[in-house]
Amino acid sequence: MIKISNYINGELTPPANGQYIDLFDPSVGQPYAKVPDADAADVELAVAAGLKAFPAWAATSINERSRILNRIADLIEESLEELAKAESVDNGKPVTLARAVDIPRSAANFRFFAQAITQFATQAHEMTDAINYTLRQPLGVVGTISPWNLPLYLFTWKIAPALAAGNAVIAKPSEVTPMTAYLLSEICIKAGLPKGVLNIIHGDGIKVGAEITKHPKIKAISFTGSTRVGQEIAKVAAPMFKKMSLEMGGKNPNLIFADCNYDKMLETTIRSSFANQGQICLCGSRLYIESSIYEKFKKDFVERVKALKVGPPADPATNIGALVSKPHYEKVLSYIELAKSEGGTILAGGEAVFPEGHEKGWYVSPTIIEGLPPNCRTNQEEIFGPVVTIMPFDTDEEVLAYANGTNYGLACTVWTENITRANRIAKTIESGIVWVNTWMLRDLRTPFGGVKSSGVGREGGFEALRFFTEAKNVCIQF
Ligand code: NAD
């Protein structure tokens, strides 16, 4: 069985305590590798390596940092097939998706920040007898903590800007999907990233994540994951006055108006509901459809969703792979039961699936539920699986009230050809990201993040470089 290692001070290192946890292949529900069950001792070694490496890395020229990040991007691209397969086995996502989205985007994250740092600039403020200029300096050793749904994609989305800005990083991937982060450590060695600049510690949330959060020498925490864990992190990091970026859960609404481009909307709504088994923080899970097209949409959507193929992630014909873990699979199924008990009608799916030869894997059919009120638990709580609800509405005001009526505010999708309406909704909706007539169209320069219980702070573009640097004003009187 494959045994993966931590990456500390430039070397692949076993956990100090010698302990490992099982890593599962969700497509068959069986362990296939061992991941370090690291703890405070490994975090301590990583922080020491980071502190040692930081001054030289911060003093390394921007061009050189940029060159190394581009080299990492090259090597990710060269290993596309190996990484895509590893991501698919680890996470249960269709290999076609990992090949088309996860791995190319991971390379793009490094390439984007390799370029962005060469364009990052500060301001000067002139007075009659003095000049102020702002320095943007790296923070030192920073911590990143990421989830299992887009493992390498989100892991690198944090590491790349932190490294570009000149920080040393202690990074913790999800213990549920650590394989590609491990493969990235091999790539970093090959790319010539100096020792200790990036340290990757594998293990669970409490023994590794919480240790990173509370470590006094770690100056900032960039976290993506659930709102519950985000709260735990804030409780510890806020009184220590650490910088924090928290990207958390969502319950995203789709607002579908009768005047939309219907075919494009239908095609995209299938993706925005069920891509990656619905396990993308940006997936729309509450679908509000204008009454005049509700019945037509319901018929077409149900028909198309029933045709999606649930199956092994390695099969190129698979649309819906396995859910990531047994607890998550059980959680999703329990929400389907909850929806029924709340009076919902299952129009499609609603059950576990057992593909031939993969009967022990964790598969759930794409599920459409109708007949639920906006304020029930099914419509308020994040399920994070292949489950959506559909509901009719009559007016803009009504649908806005529904859309804004949860504690979350990450992303929303609006389908209308009426530009005035689109602008009005975009201004009024409580959401960090608004897509009009599209979904998950990403420009890495744009601010990314949520409001309310979905997030604090923004990632992406210069926002990320600002997060990973501290502004210092220098005032010189003539
Ligand atoms: P999670 O919160 O359970 O875990 C995320 C990470 O935090 C993991 O690495 C975990 O080990 C670690 N962790 C757990 N407890 C910790 C603690 N006490 N202190 C520090 N770290 C701890 O989330 P998950 O189940 O891995 O991912 C799914 C969640 O992530 C969903 O809620 C989803 O909406 C969210 N998500 C949000 C975004 C976004 O950009 N807003 C993107 C992807 C996923």
Side-chain angles (χ1 to χ4, degrees):
M1 202 176 271
I2 317 161
K3 229 182 202 181
I4 70 174
S5 307
N6 292 327
Y7 171 52
I8 301 176
N9 201 27
E11 292 184 6
L12 300 176
T13 316
N17 60 17
Q19 301 296 310
Y20 290 83
I21 32 187
D22 282 340
L23 185 57
F24 284 83
D25 172 350
S27 77
V28 289
Q30 296 298 322
Y32 80 102
K34 298 269 183 199
V35 56
D37 187 12
D39 59 26
D42 306 276
V43 173
E44 207 54 65
L45 288 173
V47 172
L51 286 169
K52 197 163 152 229
F54 169 67
W57 181 243
T60 299
S61 73
I62 282 173
N63 282 349
E64 176 60 7
R65 273 189 247 143
S66 177
R67 188 192 65 76
I68 295 176
L69 296 192
N70 270 319
R71 180 76 189 123
I72 295 173
D74 292 342
L75 292 171
I76 292 176
E77 280 166 359
E78 282 171 26
S79 312
L80 172 74
E81 201 48 37
E82 182 198 359
L83 288 167
K85 282 190 181 139
E87 200 73 295
S88 169
V89 170
D90 216 22
N91 172 278
K93 66 178 65 207
V95 68
T96 48
L97 184 71
R99 197 182 282 134
V101 177
D102 293 74
I103 308 307
R105 171 60 191 274
S106 306
N109 288 339
F110 278 103
R111 223 176 271 302
F112 175 82
F113 284 106
Q115 168 74 4
I117 195 65
T118 69
Q119 306 298 310
F120 191 45
T122 63
Q123 288 183 313
H125 297 91
E126 199 180 349
M127 302 167 79
T128 48
D129 60 345
I131 181 93
N132 295 271
Y133 65 89
T134 309
L135 287 176
R136 278 264 164 201
Q137 295 175 303
L139 305 173
V141 179
V142 299
T144 70
I145 301 174
S146 49
W148 49 254
N149 66 320
L150 300 168
L152 192 63
Y153 174 135
L154 291 174
F155 188 68
T156 53
W157 181 232
K158 297 177 179 305
I159 289 169
L163 293 177
N167 299 282
V169 181
I170 314 298
K172 182 206 164 325
S174 169
E175 66 277 24
V176 184
T177 54
M179 187 54 81
T180 48
Y182 166 69
L183 296 173
L184 182 72
S185 44
E186 292 182 335
I187 285 176
C188 289
I189 294 170
K190 215 165 154 189
L193 186 69
K195 283 175 192 272
V197 164
L198 172 64
N199 302 277
I200 301 175
I201 308 295
H202 296 280
D204 78 13
I206 300 298
K207 282 188 250 170
V208 179
E211 288 300 323
I212 290 175
T213 306
K214 72 179 187 211
H215 198 292
K217 299 281 188 208
I218 296 181
K219 300 291 184 205
I221 302 292
S222 175
F223 167 78
T224 299
S226 63
T227 299
R228 182 191 65 76
V229 172
Q231 277 170 343
E232 293 299 316
I233 289 176
K235 270 189 227 160
V236 176
M240 298 176 81
F241 308 115
K242 293 190 183 202
K243 278 186 113 176
M244 261 185 293
S245 166
L246 305 174
E247 302 292 339
M248 303 181 285
K251 190 74 184 175
N252 307 315
N254 291 20
L255 286 60
I256 301 173
F257 289 90
D259 67 1
C260 68
N261 175 337
Y262 186 85
D263 293 341
K264 183 180 177 200
M265 176 280 296
L266 185 64
E267 203 63 48
T268 312
T269 303
I270 292 164
R271 262 193 328 116
S272 72
S273 303
F274 300 114
N276 205 38
Q277 298 71 247
Q279 304 167 135
I280 302 182
C281 55
L282 305 168
C283 279
S285 55
R286 296 179 292 144
L287 278 50
Y288 297 104
I289 302 104
E290 194 167 352
S291 295
S292 60
I293 58 162
Y294 183 80
E295 289 302 326
K296 175 175 168 50
F297 173 81
K298 175 173 145 180
K299 181 173 160 295
D300 293 343
F301 189 54
V302 167
E303 191 180 300
R304 291 287 302 275
V305 169
K306 281 187 170 168
L308 294 174
K309 184 173 180 295
V310 181
D315 181 346
T318 288
N319 303 116
I320 311 278
L323 297 193
V324 73
S325 67
K326 187 150 188 260
H328 189 59
Y329 164 78
E330 286 167 353
K331 175 188 150 182
V332 170
L333 290 174
S334 79
Y335 268 101
I336 294 171
E337 290 311 307
L338 174 73
K340 287 186 205 159
S341 73
E342 289 183 319
T345 305
I346 310 290
L347 300 177
E351 58 204 6
V353 180
F354 305 94
E356 208 187 320
H358 293 72
E359 290 79 1
K360 293 212 167 115
W362 303 311
Y363 301 87
V364 174
S365 53
T367 301
I368 307 170
I369 305 168
E370 81 165 342
L372 287 172
N375 56 357
C376 69
R377 281 184 57 203
T378 307
N379 273 328
Q380 290 290 321
E381 297 175 15
E382 185 183 44
I383 302 173
F384 213 56
V387 180
V388 299
T389 59
I390 62 170
M391 290 146 288
F393 70 87
D394 290 311
T395 66
D396 293 26
E397 288 63 34
E398 181 191 357
V399 75
L400 261 170
Y402 294 154
N404 288 340
T406 73
N407 289 333
Y408 293 109
L410 184 56
C412 74
T413 307
V414 185
W415 289 95
T416 178
E417 292 292 296
N418 179 337
I419 186 77
T420 307
R421 168 187 277 152
N423 276 313
R424 194 173 59 237
I425 288 176
K427 273 197 173 184
T428 322
I429 204 149
E430 295 162 359
S431 178
I433 297 154
V434 181
W435 276 297
V436 179
N437 299 333
T438 184
W439 176 71
M440 220 174 150
L441 181 59
R442 294 281 291 118
D443 179 327
L444 302 189
R445 294 170 299 180
T446 60
F448 180 92
V451 299
K452 304 199 282 190
S453 299
S454 289
V456 178
R458 291 291 177 272
E459 299 188 313
F462 291 159
E463 297 278 351
L465 295 176
R466 284 188 202 104
F467 176 76
F468 285 115
T469 54
E470 195 78 80
K472 181 190 280 174
N473 189 61
V474 181
C475 177
I476 304 174
Q477 194 167 37
F478 305 132

